[in-house]
Amino acid sequence: MNSKEYIEEAEQLLLHTYNRYQIVLDRGEGMYLYDLDGKKYLDFCAGIAVFALGYRNEAFNSAVKAQVDKLVHTSNYYYNVPAVNAAEKLLKAAHMDRVFFTNSGTEAIEGAIKTARKYAFKKDGSTDHEIIAMNHSFHGRSMGALSVTGNPKYQEAFRPLIGNIRFADFNNLNSVKALVNEKTCAILLEPVQGEGGIYPAAPEFIQGLRRLCDEKDILLIFDEIQCGMGRTGTMFACEYYGVEPDVMTVAKALGCGLPVGAFLCKGRAAALEAGDHGSTYGGNPLVCAAASKVFDLFEELHILDNVRETGAYLAEKLDELAARHPHITDRRGRGLMQGLEFDRPVGGIIKAALDHGLILISAGTDVIRFLPPLVAKKEHVDEMLVKLEESITDAGLNG
Ligand SMILES: Cc1ncc(COP(=O)(O)O)c(C=O)c1O
């Protein structure tokens, strides 16, 4: 079958929950993806901030293959060595004390919500605690994660959602303070909002939230699913602020393509007990062998140094582009998590980019998001910019 036939068949078979681009991706190599027809694409999306190491990293693939041959799965009623190794490396990197491995980011958020409720329940035995989340946030699509996602567009058809969730304005400490009361058990936010348009939190906002949570014995939950794992130039985005959360959620680049997420707790926040939570697959030997290898390779390949270097170059070059282009209104971001805001929807540019062999993704309607694999070099930024400018022109937006 050719690409067109696969696409037609996919549209018959798969639930149409995505408006997919009309290409069939077949294989990857380093910073590049290839479609079924052999066309080459420079990847500045990385499977939405997942494939940090670039495609076909030999050491990563060998570690995964070796684990496939040894033991793929066993129940969480028994211990397994890769889970212990992955837990040790993840907790050390995140400065946290306990971890529960999940199958996705959404499930990590579910675990964080349950942790907050259980923590508060243990304190006063009541069951009407509230969580404060942020407008324009994104935390996933399951009913719990959707309930804390501050975007009515995603929520509308699925009400009633879980109750007792309040929404404050990101980067507005007073709007959070106005919602805090004796029922508040947690404040949840992304240190850098991803889907919402690449908005980094202001240091005084994050530091103010930490003080507020300490004063009122409220758990501070950071969703590091998109901005964590080196993406912004530190292992976790919260390091930039010098603030540690009580609960952290991680996924995406944690398994570099193998489905693994996690929620991590610090000290008193490790409230869940035997019987409170579980997952058949969560933290199985295969995904944990992958996560464990990811941490080794981050060190060996000096990923954080590379993100800082290439990220600074990307920001500089995007700023230059923004300065000479009348339709670009802002550049925001940190490290290799950057956004370019236009004065109109960017869908046409992203489609044109595919024709030029460049994979990009939007955040909301007006922002192009740049999330390349974390091994991207300056030469890839240069190559991307040429393709981007051609795509902007093709989309009818002349500089
Ligand atoms: C910040 C954030 N939280 C949670 C999620 C949900 O993760 P997953 O798609 O792995 O369920 C995402 C996914 O894009 C995300 O960006």
Side-chain angles (χ1 to χ4, degrees):
M1 285 207 301
N2 63 28
S3 293
K4 192 167 169 284
E5 288 161 341
Y6 274 115
I7 290 170
E8 277 166 12
E9 189 155 343
E11 286 304 326
Q12 298 303 314
L13 301 175
L14 304 176
L15 204 59
H16 194 112
T17 55
Y18 291 91
N19 289 318
R20 290 183 167 86
Y21 295 102
Q22 299 298 297
I23 58 173
V24 184
L25 292 174
D26 188 44
R27 65 187 180 87
E29 185 80 52
M31 285 288 299
Y32 297 91
L33 286 164
Y34 295 81
D35 71 16
L36 217 47
D37 305 321
K39 183 171 172 180
K40 185 177 177 184
Y41 301 85
L42 175 64
D43 182 17
F44 262 64
C45 169
I48 319 187
V50 169
F51 227 94
L53 300 169
Y55 301 96
R56 272 190 80 197
N57 178 293
E58 253 184 63
F60 178 73
N61 287 2
S62 301
V64 172
K65 285 177 197 166
Q67 192 60 45
V68 167
D69 286 338
K70 205 169 178 197
L71 181 66
V72 169
H73 179 79
T74 178
S75 160
N76 275 312
Y77 281 113
Y78 315 99
Y79 300 98
N80 75 76
V81 173
V84 177
N85 291 338
E88 197 180 3
K89 293 171 192 175
L90 173 56
L91 290 170
K92 186 168 168 239
H95 309 286
M96 303 293 278
D97 297 323
R98 297 266 178 182
V99 56
F100 183 103
F101 288 111
T102 64
N103 308 289
S104 66
T106 296
E107 287 167 77
I109 294 290
E110 295 294 330
I113 294 171
K114 284 179 73 174
T115 296
R117 285 193 167 177
K118 183 73 193 280
Y119 176 78
F121 175 79
K122 276 164 105 173
K123 272 198 307 187
D124 65 12
S126 68
T127 53
D128 59 352
H129 297 106
E130 295 179 358
I131 294 174
I132 299 174
M134 300 298 142
N135 288 317
H136 306 299
S137 59
F138 184 84
H139 299 292
R141 305 292 198 137
S142 60
M143 292 305 283
L146 194 58
S147 303
V148 290
T149 287
N151 188 336
K153 187 182 85 181
Y154 294 140
Q155 297 173 324
E156 203 51 44
F158 306 103
R159 295 187 186 282
L161 301 169
I162 69 163
N164 288 18
I165 311 294
R166 312 272 217 114
F167 288 96
D169 290 334
F170 191 70
N171 276 340
N172 181 341
L173 190 58
N174 284 335
S175 85
V176 179
K177 283 184 177 165
L179 297 179
V180 169
N181 61 41
E182 70 288 349
K183 292 188 204 165
T184 310
C185 66
I187 298 173
L188 163 66
L189 71 154
E190 300 151 82
V192 181
Q193 283 194 333
E195 307 282 328
I198 313 290
Y199 285 98
E204 52 283 10
F205 181 56
I206 293 275
Q207 286 149 10
L209 289 178
R210 181 67 274 175
R211 277 195 301 276
L212 183 63
C213 288
D214 288 341
E215 261 167 45
K216 310 265 182 196
D217 195 13
I218 293 168
L219 296 186
L220 182 58
I221 306 173
F222 285 160
D223 178 346
E224 293 258 4
I225 289 166
Q226 188 166 148
C227 60
M229 293 301 296
R231 178 65 42 199
T232 65
T234 48
M235 198 63 198
F236 293 98
C238 60
E239 288 168 47
Y240 175 86
Y241 304 95
V243 168
E244 290 184 346
D246 302 298
V247 179
M248 183 191 281
T249 57
V250 185
K252 291 196 184 271
L254 175 62
C256 274
L258 275 91
V260 55
F263 60 96
L264 292 70
C265 311
K266 191 139 188 113
R268 67 199 166 101
L272 296 179
E273 294 159 306
D276 277 345
H277 201 57
S279 167
T280 298
Y281 285 136
N284 83 14
L286 180 62
V287 298
C288 283
S292 180
K293 194 67 187 175
V294 166
F295 284 103
D296 296 346
L297 288 170
F298 263 55
E299 262 184 55
E300 275 169 41
L301 301 173
H302 306 287
I303 291 286
L304 296 181
D305 291 340
N306 188 64
V307 172
R308 285 194 278 264
E309 193 178 330
T310 310
Y313 186 70
L314 174 62
E316 181 193 318
K317 290 288 157 186
L318 291 177
D319 280 341
E320 282 172 21
L321 179 64
R324 63 172 189 270
H325 207 291
H327 296 294
I328 299 174
T329 51
D330 197 12
R331 194 276 310 163
R332 296 184 291 269
R334 207 165 279 145
L336 288 176
M337 182 174 186
Q338 297 287 338
L340 207 53
E341 187 173 85
F342 285 70
D343 61 3
R344 61 197 64 201
V346 295
I349 302 172
I350 289 173
K351 267 206 190 117
L354 284 179
D355 294 338
H356 287 284
L358 171 65
I359 294 187
L360 294 170
I361 186 175
S362 64
T365 51
D366 298 350
V367 177
I368 298 179
R369 221 178 337 171
F370 302 87
L371 302 168
L374 302 183
V375 292
K377 300 283 178 207
K378 290 178 183 173
E379 75 219 42
H380 300 118
V381 172
D382 291 337
E383 186 185 341
M384 183 278 291
L385 281 160
V386 172
K387 292 174 186 290
L388 175 63
E389 285 212 61
E390 288 166 351
S391 310
I392 293 173
T393 306
D394 285 3
L397 278 75
N398 288 317

